[in-house]
Amino acid sequence: MVYRAAVMPAANQPLVVESFAAPTLEPGAALLRTLYSEVCGTDVHLHHGKLDVPFPIIPGHVSVGVVEQSMGRLSDIEGRPIKEGDVVTFLDVHETCNNCYYCLVARQPTKCPHRKVYGISYSATDGLLGGWSEAIWMKPGVKMIMLPKELTAETFIGGGCGLVTALHAVDMAEIRLGESVAVLGVGPVGQSVVAFASLSGAGEILAVGAPRQRLVFAQRMGATATLGLDMPSTARVDVARRLTGGRGPDVVIEASGAADAVRDAVDMVRDGGRVIVCGHYTDNGAIEFHPHWQLNRKHIELKGCWGSRYDHFHRAVALTARYGDQKPWREMVNGRFTLEQANAALSAVENRKAIKAAITPNPSLV
Ligand SMILES: [Zn+2]
Ligand SMILES: [Zn+2]
């Protein structure tokens, strides 16, 4: 049996569709027939050569598929069996070792040096280990989660990895009921930050970004006010203060990936507030920073948020199942592409024609 996959041969090279032999499944492994795999900003960065990855790669890190074949008894973390025919998603990160300083002493498993990520840190020569493929090889130990009946694959993929990152960032921000929150960036991560801030009982939720239709979408996610980037950043800070009793938001979450947005976040947050930076997954340049005025004197907390853990992924499935009819994650997917259309899918995300594009490698199954 062979399966087709879209391969990114090198940075800035067009993707090509190639055929791969089915893997030989070891005990504890499985093979998924892919329903959806997402195209996110990280895939655009990979294509631009901004992350060190083992080209050629099969991209696609957050995916949903049907279990086509499994080797031995597989189960989820609650011991429920995962059987052939079940619709599942899986945590793209695995091989976190639970045996190193970062895992055991620092308790920061997202910094474990042994972790591997589907669609990013595997080469296509390693096999079907990315989602832009008709089938995905679940290695033993990969954490699969069955999608609950009330959760459609489209809703989960609409949130996708941005939703998982957003949940991590909102956890780190420790938003209390009634607190004001500003979200800088209205891409996939920012939209889910707005949704989770609103579900956390935040008061004023200010979404800042562009273009206009994404700000309108952020209002549907729960933003109470929006600000465009056509206004100078000092004016945006002024408006944010006016909306928050002259102080600035209690929490600012940066999800834009623009270096200047980190400066804006620090300037905007109230004295003694919290700033979480989760938009800088790749190097987008430096900013000037004044430790006295922007950090020490303001008495703020500034935290970086890298990757996500199983607990975020697990809760992301539960949250999209529970709130998928209130928060329009499903509508964030505004482009569907076959494997042959992978280059167009990347361009749609790069040119912001789509908040989120989905690859459907087996169109007859969705
Ligand atoms: Zn480790
Ligand atoms: Zn992603």
Side-chain angles (χ1 to χ4, degrees), residues 95-104 108-115:
E95 294 198 8
T96 304
C97 76
N98 200 31
N99 195 36
C100 73
Y101 186 89
Y102 281 104
C103 284
L104 291 179
Q108 298 291 346
T110 70
K111 296 307 300 178
C112 172
H114 304 289
R115 67 207 278 278

Side-chain angles (χ1 to χ4, degrees), residues 128-364:
L128 295 168
L129 299 166
W132 299 7
S133 168
E134 289 176 335
I136 316 171
W137 177 14
M138 296 289 96
K139 293 210 169 195
V142 171
K143 290 278 179 285
M144 288 186 273
I145 302 178
M146 287 175 277
L147 293 198
K149 275 189 194 64
E150 63 274 24
L151 174 59
T152 64
E154 294 91 334
T155 298
F156 185 70
I157 283 292
C161 70
L163 181 145
V164 184
T165 300
L167 182 55
H168 191 180
V170 169
D171 275 3
M172 286 179 82
E174 299 182 40
I175 296 169
R176 291 185 298 167
L177 293 169
E179 281 194 317
S180 53
V181 179
V183 183
L184 309 189
V186 285
V189 178
Q191 297 289 352
S192 285
V193 171
V194 168
F196 288 139
S198 133
L199 292 173
S200 303
E204 199 77 57
I205 301 173
L206 173 62
V208 181
R212 181 74 215 147
Q213 63 269 30
R214 290 195 180 183
L215 293 173
V216 172
F217 197 85
Q219 288 174 318
R220 295 179 59 206
M221 282 293 193
T224 56
T226 61
L227 279 178
L229 300 182
D230 43 346
M231 183 185 276
S233 67
T234 50
R236 292 198 297 268
V237 169
D238 287 345
V239 174
R241 287 197 182 132
R242 275 209 301 282
L243 288 169
T244 53
R247 291 178 296 272
D250 299 303
V251 170
V252 181
I253 298 181
E254 184 284 323
S256 75
D260 286 350
V262 176
R263 178 205 62 208
D264 294 351
V266 167
D267 289 342
M268 192 180 277
V269 75
R270 70 157 160 81
D271 283 6
R274 288 98 71 200
V275 173
I276 310 296
V277 173
C278 65
H280 287 260
Y281 192 68
T282 54
D283 181 351
N284 290 318
I287 49 164
E288 199 168 298
F289 187 75
H290 200 303
H292 171 71
W293 290 108
Q294 291 179 294
L295 186 67
N296 204 148
R297 191 184 177 98
K298 283 195 77 162
H299 190 65
I300 62 170
E301 278 180 53
L302 174 59
K303 290 183 184 174
C305 173
W306 179 256
S308 43
R309 302 183 305 258
Y310 178 79
D311 62 303
H312 302 119
F313 199 73
H314 188 96
R315 288 159 57 223
V317 172
L319 286 164
T320 44
R322 184 171 290 267
Y323 297 107
D325 55 348
Q326 292 176 34
K327 304 292 179 190
W329 283 298
R330 184 182 179 132
E331 293 172 49
M332 293 210 328
V333 179
N334 43 11
R336 284 187 176 72
F337 300 85
T338 62
L339 291 177
E340 284 73 16
Q341 295 166 327
N343 290 295
L346 260 185
S347 303
V349 172
E350 184 172 4
N351 303 327
R352 297 176 157 222
K353 284 195 196 114
I355 295 186
K356 177 72 63 73
I359 304 277
T360 52
N362 297 289
S364 63

